[in-house]
Amino acid sequence: MSETALRLSPLYEAYREQVADWAVVNGMTLPRAFGRSGLPPVTLSDVSALARCGCKGPGAADWLVSQGVPVPAAFNSWTATENGLVARLAASEFLIEDARAERIETLTRELSKGRRSASGPCYPVLREDAALLLAGPQANEVLLQTCNIDFAGLDLATGPLVMTSMVGVSVLVIAQKRPTDVAYRIWCDPTFGCYLWRTLLEIVRELGGDAAVHTL
Amino acid sequence: MTCPINGPRPVSEFFYHGELRPMPDPQAATDDAWADYVFNRNGAPGVKREWWYHLPSGVWFIAERDTATDQVLRTYLYSDAVAEAVQ
Amino acid sequence: MKRLPPQAGEWIDRGKPLRFTFEGIGYEGYAGDTISSALLAAGVRVLGRSFKYHRPRSVLSLANHDVNALMQVSSCFSVPNVRADVTPLAEGLRATAVNTIGGVARDRARFLEWLAPFLPVGFYYKAFHKKSQFPFWERVFRRTTGLGTVDFSARRKGSPKRYAFCDVLVIGGGPAGLAAADAALRAGARVALVDENPRLGGSGLYNLGGADGERQAEETRRLAAIAAAGAVVYVSSYAAGYYADHWVPIVTPGHVVKMRARAVVVATGAYEQPAVFRNNDLPGVILASAAQRMLARYSIAPCKRAVVLAANDDGYRAARDLAAHGVEIAAVVDLRGANSRGAVPPGTLVLEGHGIHEALADSQGALRGVRVAPLARDGTLDGYQAREFECDGLLMSTGWAGAAPLLYQAGARMEFSAELQQFVPAACPPGVYAAGRVNGVHGFAQKLRDGAAAGRAAAAQSRKPGSVDGAAPSCRQERAQSGMPSHPYPIFAHPKGRNFVDFDEDLQLKDFFNAAQEGFDNIELMKRYSTVGMGPSQGKHSNMNAIRVLAKILGRTPGEVGSTTARPMFHPVPMSHLGGRGFMPERATPLEGRHAAASAVWMPAGQWQRPEYYAVENQTREAAIRAEVAAVRGAVGVIDVGTLGKIELFGRDAGAFFERIYTAKFAGMKVGSTRYGLMLDESGVVIDDGVIARLGEEHFYFTTTTTGSATVYRELTRLNAMWRMEVGIVNVTGHFAAINLAGPRSREVLAPLTALDLSEATFPYLGAREAQVAGLPARLLRVGFVGELGYEIHVPASGAAHLWDQLMKTGAAHGIRPFGVEAQRLLRLEKGHIIVSQDTDGVTNALELGMDWALKMDKPFFVGQRSLEAMGRLPRKQALVGFTLDEPDTGMPKECHLVIESDEPAGRITSIAHSPAVGRVIGLALVAPALSKVGSTLNIRIDGGRMVRATVSETPFYDPKNLRQKQPETA
């Protein structure tokens, strides 16, 4: 099952015993279904299979623009792209995520050649993050139990991005406004992924929700 | 604590490194002067410039803190302080 | 006491009767009752026994400002020290009073009161200076004064905490707090409101003053409805304390809410204070506000015939409330002179300039009457002119103390107002506002104005910090209109005593004079010597009187005497609330599942779990580890080294940056090579080591120790924030996985998985290459490690499991085994490799390690260089040496066993193990320089004081010329 795909999600060990049906997305083994139906008040999904890369440096913003990647102007903000998103972390570091793996592979290849722009150099950042999606009307409740940030008070129109600590782990969080709710994307170091997943899932279940599959 | 880049965050998200202390020229300093720099710290209360680090984002910055009242007067990036001083 | 007819606004639901027992006797109350109110309605006169003297007690404040009614309560399991006054009644509840021997009615410990002369204040400090007596007395004390019993069968309850955020937090839902919330809501602020009681309204709904109170109650209800609709309201909840930057934990019945506000309004009200006179603690003697709560909330008449002791307007309001419910008022006794009295029902006797000389007890020990005496010119009561009045209820309304702990904790500057006879805030810190009685504003209309002003200011502050600070409260007019709500000294001595100041601790007036006489005449010393304010109520009903007494003793003002520090928690918080959910981060490499499948036995390494060894059926731990070691030396082994820190360094100045942070030279490193790096701090102490690989002209990739990764990355970025060199530093510790393949067969195992030419000529020892391995982009490093031919392979984390599986597959034919931390430790020890922070400590400097080859002192600068230079001129203090044990069977030393020379410690073992390859016990030790020459004898003292001998030897112990890792074809 997992031997066929080259890549495993950092969260694989946390949920593999609950999954019978697997799929391969972007070369990564992912659950096809968790076996629950209906609309739970809150769900937790593994979206680590989205392709991603990072770059940093004084020339990073300009270089990305030269590659046709839209760059948010404000520090700590993000912007949606056609198939993904671009996040500006602090001042001059970026996370680029795209459902199309080839796009990311192209960027990674170019970055590894040692890039510069007029503003200075741009360095590649390998990103093998654990990536989670927390969604549903009760999603904010999960955050209130785990994270000392007032997400409900954020102005989502400006696309804010928060780097903070959640249950003791450094995380990157954004909120995506959807028709019926707000969904939160959470990234963390892959070696903390299983711990974060298990901890959040326990709270999600207490609120009547469960793990779910998110179609990328 | 207010990070200059990330804004106000719970103080548990930060790491305190210590007071900003200029390093004397190692070639020119005597052993005594060098040892004083390495081992001795200023314990008197007052407004100090301190190195602070925001753990989730990796931002280093300077905080001016009155250690007698534990009030942070302002925070800024080291590079901004250097630029200011040059001007 | 009896239940009055139904009235609007009562808290009880007469449609829901509840049955319960107290002291084994059955009673009935209603939903909405508390345990005490139900017992009072049933006519129970004694609810508890006091702490020291076991005197019969009943309600004093009915507001959780005293613990006269402290009970052991059982439903499914038994809970000790329940405060019956404020605990909701439940069906089937069984309650008993704590601190009795034989029940509250016939407490056998009540004879202790006769021993009172032998139990003066502080007697335990004097009585037990001989240890021998104490064990006996300790047992006696625990029986006679222990409060409650713990039920160990109680179910464990987790109550996860949650964060909450608001613009304005209003603490207190009485008239001032409601007015503040209303004003803040109007200003558009997000408001949170907290109140201890099950319903909002506070004194606005019970301090009515008779029929006039209806308008006040209506206005209070209107404001309460606004708050309920617009604010987040926490009832039956309290603010446990104030912490920096407006962080307030709110204790709700189910869990703690960690509230961060932008501004806080403290409208917590005031504690009504008891008057001090002989027998002021009899059941039936209550605070006037307690009587008003009984009437308005629970429809209970506190008594049939009452005497009201008053020194303010509130006392008269309480008298009118009693009369409105049909309670007979025998007299109103006013401590003040003429012309101060308030309105009373026609025909009520008012005795101005009088006080209570003594309360009188009946055969049960409850109130049956009082002796009222005129006040003499010196403020004492003239007992000879006392008159007796029959009554079964005595209301005390002689003063207030602001409920100000939160203000103190917030750093407000408090001052004593002589006009108000109350400590009030003189200056509050920015963002903190006081309103209502705690701010010295008494009187309903005044509280509303004061609250509204505070709410407006708080809302403005929350939008624009710094706009309005709480420095000078603009409440002067409101305070001035409050009159003098507190009597300066409602405290009266009596030759027979029993005039209580602190009801929790049974402290009488003379105890304070005795303490001062013994020299404890400072408020902090007085508190600790007498224990005033140290009981469960934490001084809510006693601190103010204690300050007044001490002030009188010293001839100073209460302001000069000052107040002790009020610390969180405001009320006791159950441990289950504080326990909540524990978050202990765990870190795991992507190979966790593979290790588990291979029967790994785990060991913690910081936040990580690593395989210590892999268990084999029917093999002991030692045998399994030996087998892993043998596999590496004889064939091939594979270990997950993914916990190592991994950092990428890019940029033009990358080489120069390394030159400055490591001790060795790196600027001239060839692309495609690796080098060992030792990292020091400014004092020359070793803090980390690792392998640096140069993958390109402007691209370095290096490792750090497992525990050092975060620290090293942090320090490197700080240094570059200062040095501003053109480098990019990227911490990829979790994003790369790393597997070390080691052993003479490792080339054969790796070759089928990669197109890279692994021959000695093209990929020599200490080389670094980038290539595809098992279809994954990989970095391969040939390093010393365990002293065999080996490859450390780094791949992106998501591919780790695939790589491991492929290595195990191709390695199967060669007898590949996974090996764990214990085997790795032994293999590396055989090569004499140090483990930073095991073979070094917080003061081990680089010179002591004997690694001079790694210290390039001729570089222009590296961190720690100048200190090494200075230390190089000083005599060495210790040296790290290798050793072998002389006789294997005399005993096995452990790490940290001492080397003894001339009866003095001369060093210690840092690493030790039996080496199968060498056939001896080998190790490393930090020893005095005199013992560091090869061939010297080390005398090691092991457990039990036995001595074993070892000899200092060269390292590496195994394959001293390192041929197996460097030139495996020739080894």
Side-chain angles (χ1 to χ4, degrees):
Chain A
M1 143 201 82
S2 57
E3 268 81 69
T4 50
L6 219 50
R7 301 169 67 213
L8 272 186
S9 164
L11 305 176
Y12 172 75
E13 287 300 328
Y15 56 57
R16 69 179 162 80
E17 270 150 25
Q18 292 132 43
V19 178
D21 199 9
W22 297 90
V24 175
V25 180
N26 282 344
M28 181 181 280
T29 306
L30 275 196
R32 200 193 302 276
F34 274 100
R36 242 185 84 141
S37 54
L39 211 61
V42 54
T43 57
L44 190 64
S45 309
D46 178 8
V47 292
S48 306
L50 286 168
R52 64 184 67 83
C53 69
C55 61
K56 72 194 274 189
D62 287 347
W63 181 80
L64 284 173
V65 167
S66 75
Q67 297 293 303
V69 177
V71 158
F75 293 174
N76 286 321
S77 69
W78 68 282
T79 183
T81 58
E82 204 188 313
N83 289 84
L85 57 89
V86 177
R88 185 168 200 152
L89 316 177
S92 54
E93 185 174 346
F94 296 87
L95 166 67
I96 303 108
E97 212 179 60
D98 204 298
R100 298 164 308 169
E102 333 76 70
R103 186 77 184 98
I104 297 295
E105 274 156 30
T106 311
L107 284 173
T108 312
R109 220 174 18 244
E110 288 302 308
L111 272 172
S112 65
K113 293 179 193 162
R115 295 290 119 192
R116 294 190 75 86
S117 69
S119 334
C122 176
Y123 309 115
V125 177
L126 176 69
R127 296 219 66 126
E128 294 275 297
D129 306 64
L132 290 76
L133 174 72
L134 180 70
Q138 291 282 301
N140 191 250
E141 183 58 33
V142 176
L143 295 179
L144 283 179
Q145 287 194 31
T146 57
C147 192
N148 194 356
I149 296 286
D150 185 9
F151 285 101
L154 292 175
D155 177 8
L156 296 187
T158 61
L161 177 158
V162 175
M163 284 189 278
T164 182
S165 177
M166 186 181 283
V167 301
V169 171
S170 291
V171 294
L172 180 59
V173 185
I174 63 171
Q176 293 173 308
K177 196 144 173 50
R178 309 199 306 189
T180 51
D181 62 4
V182 176
Y184 297 94
R185 288 289 317 274
I186 305 166
W187 292 266
C188 77
D189 185 291
T191 54
F192 283 110
C194 287
Y195 161 76
L196 184 65
W197 172 272
R198 281 193 289 260
T199 309
L200 293 181
L201 188 60
E202 190 185 314
I203 302 169
V204 163
R205 286 199 170 130
E206 269 174 28
L207 295 169
D210 207 346
V213 167
H214 176 78
T215 328
L216 298 171
Chain B
M1 176 67 83
T2 302
C3 170
I5 301 285
N6 290 280
R9 285 281 186 278
V11 77
S12 55
E13 286 188 14
F14 295 86
F15 170 80
Y16 164 76
H17 174 80
E19 194 178 7
L20 178 62
R21 300 173 306 121
M23 183 179 80
D25 179 357
Q27 314 283 359
T30 62
D31 282 356
D32 278 352
W34 182 256
D36 179 58
Y37 162 72
V38 169
F39 295 111
N40 294 333
R41 300 288 181 271
N42 170 23
V47 178
K48 295 189 182 166
R49 292 193 304 166
E50 304 174 330
W51 280 109
W52 284 80
Y53 179 77
H54 183 234
L55 290 153
S57 67
V59 172
W60 274 106
F61 60 95
I62 305 296
E64 276 178 21
R65 186 171 71 98
D66 182 343
T67 60
T69 59
D70 198 28
Q71 297 288 338
V72 176
L73 303 173
R74 56 184 190 131
T75 60
Y76 45 85
L77 296 177
Y78 182 87
S79 51
D80 292 343
V82 168
E84 245 179 60
V86 163
Q87 280 151 25
Chain C
M1 281 161 249
K2 65 171 169 72
R3 192 79 79 177
L4 297 164
Q7 54 175 332
E10 65 183 12
W11 287 9
I12 52 173
D13 181 352
R14 300 187 194 232
K16 292 200 181 102
L18 301 172
R19 279 173 320 207
F20 69 105
T21 70
F22 173 61
E23 296 275 310
I25 300 170
Y27 298 93
E28 203 174 84
Y30 296 114
D33 261 326
T34 64
I35 301 174
S36 291
S37 69
L39 290 170
L40 292 172
V44 175
R45 295 215 80 191
V46 177
L47 298 185
R49 288 280 176 172
S50 71
F51 177 60
K52 199 155 110 182
Y53 300 134
H54 292 252
R55 287 167 66 90
R57 291 277 170 83
S58 180
V59 161
L60 173 65
S61 69
L62 204 66
N64 209 357
H65 299 161
D66 73 279
V67 291
N68 277 350
L70 204 61
M71 297 187 184
Q72 184 90 21
V73 172
S74 309
S75 313
C76 4
F77 52 86
S78 193
V79 181
N81 301 335
V82 169
R83 297 169 178 218
D85 289 356
V86 293
T87 301
L89 189 64
E91 173 72 26
L93 181 152
R94 298 184 303 283
T96 53
V98 301
N99 196 36
T100 73
I101 301 175
V104 78
R106 307 195 60 77
D107 182 4
R108 292 198 290 275
R110 65 189 187 279
F111 74 87
L112 277 167
E113 205 187 345
W114 305 343
L115 294 177
F118 302 107
L119 307 172
V121 65
F123 76 93
Y124 27 84
Y125 298 125
K126 301 166 188 161
F128 299 106
H129 42 81
K130 278 213 186 72
K131 285 195 291 188
S132 54
Q133 294 169 359
F134 196 65
F136 167 74
W137 285 106
E138 186 196 353
R139 281 195 295 275
V140 172
F141 288 151
R142 284 192 187 281
R143 280 218 64 206
T144 56
T145 62
L147 300 178
T149 52
V150 175
D151 180 359
F152 290 99
S153 74
R155 170 176 62 95
R156 276 180 136 201
K157 200 170 67 126
S159 36
K161 309 186 200 73
R162 48 177 52 69
Y163 294 99
F165 306 89
C166 66
D167 294 332
V168 176
L169 173 65
V170 179
I171 304 174
L178 290 175
D182 177 53
L185 284 168
R186 274 178 218 256
R190 284 189 308 169
V191 177
L193 177 63
V194 187
D195 194 277
E196 286 186 83
N197 298 286
R199 303 191 196 187
L200 297 174
S203 62
L205 296 179
Y206 64 75
N207 185 358
L208 301 174
D212 293 341
E214 190 39 48
R215 243 179 346 185
Q216 168 189 301
E218 229 178 76
E219 176 64 6
T220 305
R221 279 192 288 269
R222 187 187 73 83
L223 288 171
I226 291 172
V232 175
V233 175
Y234 300 92
V235 286
S236 299
S237 307
Y238 57 92
Y242 175 94
Y243 296 86
D245 297 320
H246 313 313
W247 195 90
V248 176
I250 298 171
V251 181
T252 75
H255 55 264
V256 169
V257 173
K258 300 183 279 191
M259 176 71 73
R260 173 85 68 187
R262 296 218 166 105
V264 178
V265 175
V266 177
T268 45
Y271 320 119
E272 189 158 33
Q273 302 294 293
V276 178
F277 51 85
R278 175 162 166 77
N279 285 337
N280 63 339
D281 71 324
L282 298 184
V285 181
I286 56 177
L287 293 165
S289 54
Q292 290 173 309
R293 289 189 191 91
M294 283 185 214
L295 290 166
R297 292 178 179 174
Y298 309 108
S299 299
I300 294 170
C303 52
K304 290 200 203 54
R305 190 163 194 266
V307 167
V308 177
L309 174 66
N312 54 30
D313 197 50
D314 295 299
Y316 287 85
R317 297 173 72 91
R320 294 199 294 276
D321 284 329
L322 285 173
H325 284 89
V327 176
E328 190 191 338
I329 302 178
V332 173
V333 179
D334 197 324
L335 287 173
R336 301 169 293 179
N339 303 324
S340 303
R341 58 151 83 182
V344 283
T348 310
L349 171 64
V350 178
L351 294 169
E352 284 151 307
H354 280 66
I356 307 291
H357 188 247
E358 175 177 4
L360 304 166
D362 64 16
S363 56
Q364 272 191 307
L367 182 71
R368 67 165 170 83
V370 293
R371 286 164 48 80
V372 176
L375 281 163
R377 288 275 293 277
D378 63 358
T380 61
L381 291 170
D382 186 355
Y384 294 107
Q385 300 210 37
R387 287 162 63 175
E388 205 171 294
F389 288 85
E390 246 179 59
C391 61
D392 60 337
L394 169 60
L395 274 60
M396 301 181 286
S397 183
T398 55
W400 303 88
L406 294 176
L407 290 173
Y408 281 98
Q409 287 158 22
R413 186 165 59 79
M414 305 290 283
E415 69 185 4
F416 185 75
S417 157
E419 294 79 28
L420 296 166
Q421 284 296 306
Q422 179 183 337
F423 282 95
V424 291
C428 289
V432 178
Y433 306 89
R437 283 207 203 252
V438 75
N439 197 24
V441 173
H442 303 252
F444 185 75
Q446 290 77 13
K447 287 181 199 172
L448 292 185
R449 281 201 294 274
D450 196 37
R456 275 192 300 273
Q461 168 78 354
S462 71
R463 268 193 305 275
K464 195 167 157 257
S467 56
V468 185
D469 67 346
S474 58
C475 54
R476 264 177 268 280
Q477 188 187 18
E478 279 73 23
R479 282 186 186 164
Q481 290 176 0
S482 300
M484 185 187 278
S486 299
H487 191 277
Y489 200 77
I491 296 164
F492 303 99
H494 190 287
K496 293 209 206 134
R498 301 299 181 270
N499 37 10
F500 291 96
V501 174
D502 189 323
F503 290 57
D504 288 1
E505 304 277 329
D506 273 351
L507 289 174
Q508 306 167 67
L509 184 59
K510 71 166 161 42
D511 292 330
F512 292 83
F513 285 88
N514 288 345
Q517 198 176 38
E518 304 231 21
F520 298 99
D521 57 0
N522 156 287
I523 191 65
E524 300 283 355
L525 297 174
M526 171 71 76
K527 169 185 170 178
R528 283 155 182 86
Y529 188 72
S530 68
T531 75
V532 65
M534 292 176 72
S537 310
Q538 289 289 291
K540 293 185 176 73
H541 68 260
S542 59
N543 274 354
M544 195 62 229
N545 281 338
I547 293 168
R548 294 194 195 285
V549 171
L550 185 55
K552 192 175 191 70
I553 292 172
L554 298 174
R556 303 214 200 110
T557 67
E560 286 164 336
V561 166
S563 169
T564 54
T565 311
R567 299 187 173 89
M569 312 287 177
F570 184 70
H571 288 310
V573 179
M575 293 297 269
S576 61
H577 276 54
L578 297 175
R581 211 193 297 267
F583 296 126
M584 299 281 291
E586 292 159 12
R587 225 173 161 177
T589 71
L591 297 172
E592 186 190 14
R594 298 299 188 266
H595 299 316
S599 307
V601 173
W602 298 99
M603 64 169 251
Q607 284 177 322
W608 304 89
Q609 290 286 329
R610 300 192 66 184
E612 185 189 0
Y613 67 100
Y614 296 85
V616 176
E617 215 175 311
N618 297 323
Q619 255 193 351
T620 62
R621 173 181 175 274
E622 286 66 35
I625 295 169
R626 273 201 304 275
E628 289 173 17
V629 167
V632 173
R633 292 267 180 251
V636 60
V638 63
I639 181 169
D640 176 6
V641 291
T643 60
L644 289 176
K646 305 168 209 74
I647 302 178
E648 305 223 60
L649 218 81
F650 299 98
R652 284 197 183 137
D653 294 337
F657 187 80
F658 270 112
E659 291 277 291
R660 295 172 68 92
I661 60 172
Y662 278 108
T663 61
K665 287 188 173 165
F666 293 93
M669 251 179 100
K670 289 217 248 310
V671 173
S673 66
T674 68
R675 191 163 293 181
Y676 176 75
L678 196 62
M679 195 182 289
L680 313 180
D681 69 10
E682 276 184 321
S683 67
V685 165
V686 176
I687 56 170
D688 208 85
D689 68 349
V691 170
I692 294 87
R694 188 170 205 159
L695 300 177
E697 280 303 321
E698 297 184 3
H699 183 196
F700 289 80
Y701 177 69
F702 67 102
T703 61
T704 75
T705 60
T706 297
T707 43
S709 66
T711 322
V712 167
Y713 174 74
R714 199 165 63 214
E715 184 58 10
L716 294 189
T717 50
R718 188 188 72 89
L719 289 171
N720 201 42
M722 279 197 300
W723 297 340
R724 321 276 295 288
M725 300 171 81
E726 198 182 289
V727 286
I729 308 169
V730 186
N731 184 356
V732 288
T733 298
H735 299 269
F736 272 103
I739 296 171
N740 199 299
L741 181 71
R745 305 263 182 85
S746 39
R747 193 176 271 136
E748 287 116 293
V749 174
L750 184 55
L753 300 174
T754 180
L756 182 67
D757 183 351
L758 299 176
S759 66
E760 202 54 45
T762 49
F763 190 178
Y765 176 61
L766 295 182
R769 300 286 180 269
E770 289 184 272
Q772 294 266 316
V773 176
L776 299 158
R779 295 157 181 195
L780 299 101
L781 314 176
R782 271 191 69 182
V783 294
F785 194 47
V786 294
E788 301 294 336
L789 171 65
Y791 300 87
E792 191 168 286
I793 311 165
H794 295 237
V795 294
S798 56
H802 178 78
L803 174 62
W804 180 275
D805 291 342
Q806 293 302 309
L807 288 170
M808 292 300 286
K809 208 160 107 182
T810 55
H814 300 277
I816 194 169
R817 275 185 82 132
F819 65 104
V821 174
E822 275 307 305
Q824 174 196 256
R825 211 200 294 261
L826 173 51
L827 290 162
R828 288 182 77 252
L829 181 59
E830 287 175 335
K831 297 301 294 183
H833 291 325
I834 62 163
I835 300 174
V836 171
S837 88
Q838 175 162 330
D839 301 300
T840 74
D841 60 22
V843 297
T844 313
N845 65 58
L847 299 170
E848 293 163 343
L849 291 183
M851 293 170 83
D852 292 29
W853 52 268
L855 310 172
K856 301 302 179 202
M857 300 295 287
D858 57 337
K859 290 200 293 184
F861 172 85
F862 63 85
V863 176
Q865 181 190 43
R866 178 67 180 82
S867 296
L868 287 185
E869 200 213 324
M871 285 192 292
R873 289 195 274 275
L874 299 170
R876 300 286 156 92
K877 293 212 184 101
Q878 58 184 357
L880 186 71
V881 299
F883 67 87
T884 53
L885 268 200
D886 291 356
E887 294 121 6
D889 297 327
T890 48
M892 180 68 166
K894 300 177 190 156
E895 286 95 356
C896 284
H897 273 156
L898 296 177
V899 173
I900 308 283
E901 191 64 26
S902 310
D903 282 331
E904 291 290 329
R908 70 173 191 278
I909 311 283
T910 60
S911 291
I912 186 165
H914 179 270
S915 160
V918 177
R920 316 270 296 272
V921 172
I922 58 172
L924 297 172
L926 280 166
V927 300
L931 298 173
S932 61
K933 256 180 48 174
V934 173
S936 308
T937 300
L938 302 177
N939 294 299
I940 305 161
R941 190 172 64 193
I942 66 172
D943 287 342
R946 273 188 338 196
M947 304 297 289
V948 302
R949 258 200 348 255
T951 307
V952 176
S953 49
E954 297 266 12
T955 59
F957 303 93
Y958 167 79
D959 183 21
K961 290 206 180 18
N962 297 331
L963 295 175
R964 290 178 72 88
Q965 72 216 42
K966 284 187 187 173
Q967 295 159 246
E969 278 132 26
T970 62

